[in-house]
Amino acid sequence: MKHTFKTFITIISLIFSFSLYAQVDTKGTDFWVAFGQNATRTSSEVSLQIRIVATEATTGTIQFTNIGTSVPFTVLAGGVYTYSLTSAEKAAAYNSSTGISNKTIHIQTEKPVTVYALNDNSGTADATNVLPVTVLGTDYYQISYTISQHAYPDAYAIIATQNNTQVYHNGLLNATLNAGQIYYRTSATDMTGTHITTDKPVAFFAEHQGAHIPYGVPAIDMLFQQLAPVNTWGKNFFVPVSKLGKDIVRIVASQNNTVITQQGGTILSGNLILNAGQYVELMVPLTNNGCYIQADKPVGICVYLTGQDYNGKGTSDPAQAWLPPIEQKVNSALIAPFVPSGSTNLTEHIALIVTPTSTKNNTTVSIGATSGVPLSGGAWYDNAVSGMSFYSMPLTNKTSSYLFANQAGLTVMGYGIGTYESYYYLACSSMRILDAAFYANNIHNQDLASEIICTQPTQFRAEITGAMSTAAGHLKWYIDNVEETAARDQLTWSKTLANGTYQIKMIALSDDDVTTKTVQAAMTVSSSCAGLVTPSCTEICQGAGSVTFTLSSYWGSITKWQYAVSPFSTWIDINETASTLVIENLPETMKVRAVVNSTNYTDPVTITVLPTPVVSFTGATTICPGSTTTLSPATGGTWKSNNTAVATVTNAGVVTGVSSGSVTFTYTRTDGCSASVTP
C-alpha cells in the first residue's frame, strides 16, 4: 500500500500481497514425462491423462515432442486442469520397446504448479507425480518389482533435458540423447538395483508393464513412478499404510555396507545389511500404525499397494509410489484425485498425510480456493516409536485440489482403489539435496532463502554423505566470503549474528583429497520470527519522495502495519494486509513494523527524516551587475545557480552578479537534502 502522511493517512494505490513460502519440492514450472506400455495394451486401448494443480492462477503449454504439437491451458488459483490425450497424442507419447525415440511430453507454466500423470485401462492403472527439471539429477537406481509368472517385462524410461546426454546402465554407455529424447528399456528380469548414471540431469521413471505384488498373488497391474535422484535420498523414513491393511516396501541401498533398522514391518526377502544396489522387502500392516525405518547411509524406498487377493479387502491391484524421507517434509502440499476419462473400476481416492504427532492437530486442508480448516472425514494413526502420525483422508471432491498445510512439516501420498485396479503416488514432498548440505538452526540450506533465523546464537551443522578427507582444512565455513577459521573442520559450530542478510558457504573435501562439494545459501537473521521488513532506504529528506517497506520470509497472515514517532512509545495502526507498503512525505523520523497473525511483530525498522537545510542571504539581497553577496551556509555542502548567465555562486556561498534578470540559488547538503533561496 502507498500512504501519504499529512494530517491523516490516504490510500494511494494497492500492491497485491503474495506468498513467500518457497520450497524446494515437487512443484515447478518445467516438466518432462512419458508413458510406458500398460500390460499388453496398445496406445489406443489406454487412457493417458495429465493433471495440473496450482496455488496461483497460471497459464502453460503441453508440448508433444514427437509430433510437434502444443496444447495451451489455463489453471485457476486452487484449481485443477485435466488433460486427456487424443489418439494421436497417445501414440506420440506411449513407449513399448527398448530404444531411443522422441515420444515425450514437455510441460511448461508461467508460475509453479504440481503435475501428475495417469496411465489407465480398466483393470490395470498407475499414476505418478512429475518432478520439475530443477530437482532432476544424474545418479539413479531402478526400483521396480519381481517379474510375474505372466512374464510382463520390467521397464524404465530416461528423458534428457539437455543435448548430448550420455546414459549409462551399470556403468556401460547405452544411449546418447538430445533434449526431449527418451531411452526406454525393457527387461525379462527385475531391474531393481540397476545403477543408472548420466552426465547431465535427466528424468527417470520406473515403468513395470505388469507385476503381481507380492509375487504370485493375482492380479497383475502396471507400475508407474518417477524416481528421485540419489542426492535427495535420506536416512530416516516413516511409512504410512493404506486402508487395504497390508502394504509392501522395498528399500534399496546406494552404498556398500548400509545398515538398516526397522520397526513395524516384517521382512519378506533380503536382509538389513545391504551393499549398493541390493534391496530388502518388507510387509507393513496397518495394525502397526506405520513403520519406522532408519539407515546409516542414504537409501531409496518405494511403497506398493497389493493385489486384492492378498489384502482380503476385495479391492485394489498393485501400484507403486516413491516414499520421501522424513528430512523432505514441506510446509504445504497440493494434491488432486484422478478421474480417468475412459472406463475405470476406480471408486475411492484417498490421501495419506504424514506429520509429527506432537503437532498433528495443527494440520489444515483447503479444498479449492477455500480457507484452511482442520482435517475431517478420516482418522489419525499415531506411531509412538517414530513420533510420527498419518491421517487417512477420503478425497471426495474429484474436481478440486486439496491443499494440506502444517508449519511443523508434512508429506502427502495419494492413492485410488477399485475392483482389480489402483494407483499410488507421491503427491508432494521436498526434494532437497541431502548428499552435501548444511543446516542453520535445523533449516536446510535450500530452505534458508524463505526462512528466518530468529534465535541466537545460530547453530550450524554439516551433513555429508560419503567419506571425507582427514587432511586439515577438509571442511571450511564462510560468512560473506570470509572464512570462519574457528569453525574449520567442525561439523557443528555456532555464532551470534546481528540482524541482516548473510551469504553462508560450506566447502567439503572428499577422501581423495581432490574432489570438493560446495554448498552456499543466503541467510536472513532477525530477532523476530514474524518476518523481516526491508525499507527501500533508511534516510530520507523531509517532505521528499517515498519509502517502500517490504515484508519477506514471513509465516501466517499479515494482520496490519504499524508506525511510531518519537518517543516511539505508541504504535499507530495502518490497516492494510499487503506484503508491500509505500509511505510518502514522511513528516519526521519514524519506526515501522508489520503484525503477523495478530500477535507477532517484526523487528521495527527506523527511517530517519533529515531536516530541510536552512538557507539565507548573509549579504545583500539585491545583486547589481558586477556586485557580490554571500549566502549561508558557507560550508558543508554545495551551491548551484539555476542560471549562471545571470549570476554565479561558489561553494563558499559567494555570489557574483554578472547581468540583470532572476536567479535561484540551491544548496545541497552532504546528506543529499537541499533548499533554495531567491534574491
Side-chain angles (χ1 to χ4, degrees), residues 199-517:
D199 63 342
K200 299 179 180 68
V202 298
F204 182 84
F205 294 84
E207 305 217 27
H208 198 302
Q209 293 183 12
H212 288 164
I213 299 179
Y215 176 80
V217 174
I220 70 98
D221 208 340
M222 73 160 302
L223 306 178
F224 181 29
Q225 175 63 56
Q226 184 166 6
L227 302 181
V230 172
N231 62 1
T232 66
W233 291 15
K235 302 177 184 178
N236 303 284
F237 297 81
F238 178 70
V239 184
V241 185
S242 72
K243 65 175 291 184
L244 301 175
K246 293 188 292 186
D247 295 343
I248 300 299
V249 173
R250 276 195 173 185
I251 308 169
V252 176
S254 62
Q255 298 182 36
N256 291 338
N257 196 35
T258 297
V259 179
I260 298 167
T261 61
Q262 66 87 21
Q263 294 173 279
T266 300
I267 297 176
L268 298 181
S269 64
N271 60 70
L272 297 177
I273 301 179
L274 305 174
N275 286 329
Q278 293 181 335
Y279 69 88
V280 60
E281 185 171 322
L282 310 176
M283 185 278 290
V284 180
L286 182 59
T287 52
N288 287 348
N289 288 2
C291 178
Y292 185 40
I293 298 171
Q294 293 180 292
D296 66 342
K297 300 178 181 67
V299 296
I301 297 181
C302 281
V303 186
Y304 305 81
L305 301 184
T306 64
Q308 70 178 45
D309 292 347
Y310 180 75
N311 59 55
K313 301 293 183 180
T315 188
S316 93
D317 247 4
Q320 175 181 358
W322 175 258
L323 181 75
I326 293 173
E327 296 98 321
Q328 300 287 22
K329 297 193 301 290
V330 292
N331 292 334
S332 62
L334 197 61
I335 181 176
F338 279 100
V339 183
S341 58
S343 62
T344 180
N345 297 328
L346 295 169
T347 56
E348 295 182 78
H349 307 274
I350 300 164
L352 297 174
I353 303 97
V354 178
T355 193
T357 303
S358 60
T359 54
K360 69 178 186 180
N361 292 327
N362 296 335
T363 309
T364 61
V365 61
S366 303
I367 303 176
T370 62
S371 300
V373 296
L375 304 186
S376 62
W380 281 107
Y381 296 83
D382 300 331
N383 186 277
V385 174
S386 64
M388 302 295 291
S389 297
F390 70 94
Y391 191 86
S392 180
M393 179 172 176
L395 305 178
T396 55
N397 191 328
K398 298 178 182 180
T399 60
S400 292
S401 65
Y402 288 71
L403 178 65
F404 297 98
N406 189 318
Q407 287 301 310
L410 50 73
T411 57
V412 178
M413 313 287 286
Y415 69 96
I417 54 177
T419 303
Y420 290 115
E421 190 169 352
S422 63
Y423 66 83
Y424 196 13
Y425 63 98
L426 167 65
C428 190
S429 75
S430 177
M431 283 290 162
R432 303 176 183 96
I433 295 174
L434 300 178
D435 65 343
F438 69 80
Y439 295 78
N441 286 7
N442 290 321
I443 301 172
H444 188 276
N445 59 268
Q446 286 181 288
D447 296 330
L448 279 175
S450 59
E451 299 283 351
I452 301 174
I453 300 298
C454 53
T455 59
Q456 295 297 325
T458 304
Q459 306 290 330
F460 294 95
R461 182 179 83 254
E463 292 282 349
I464 311 294
T465 296
M468 292 180 62
S469 170
T470 57
H474 62 267
L475 185 62
K476 294 183 178 181
W477 298 86
Y478 297 81
I479 298 180
D480 292 338
N481 287 320
V482 177
E483 186 188 355
E484 295 292 307
T485 55
R488 184 179 295 176
D489 298 332
Q490 302 297 311
L491 289 173
T492 61
W493 59 287
S494 63
K495 185 170 184 175
T496 299
L497 297 169
N499 290 353
T501 299
Y502 302 87
Q503 293 293 325
I504 311 298
K505 181 167 63 177
M506 179 191 76
I507 301 177
L509 180 65
S510 298
D511 60 352
D512 63 3
D513 292 332
V514 175
T515 305
T516 60
K517 294 180 178 179

Side-chain angles (χ1 to χ4, degrees), residues 134-189:
T134 51
V135 303
L136 302 181
T138 60
D139 190 359
Y140 296 88
Y141 280 90
Q142 166 73 324
I143 306 179
S144 187
Y145 206 77
T146 308
I147 302 299
S148 74
Q149 59 266 41
H150 296 297
Y152 290 101
D154 190 10
Y156 66 69
I158 297 169
I159 304 174
T161 62
Q162 300 178 34
N163 290 338
N164 196 33
T165 297
Q166 296 184 318
V167 177
Y168 297 85
H169 176 107
N170 284 334
L172 298 177
L173 180 63
N174 269 215
T176 299
L177 307 175
N178 285 328
Q181 287 189 313
I182 184 173
Y183 174 61
Y184 182 76
R185 179 168 179 142
T186 62
S187 173
T189 60

Side-chain angles (χ1 to χ4, degrees), residues 121 176 655:
N121 178 279
T176 299
V655 178

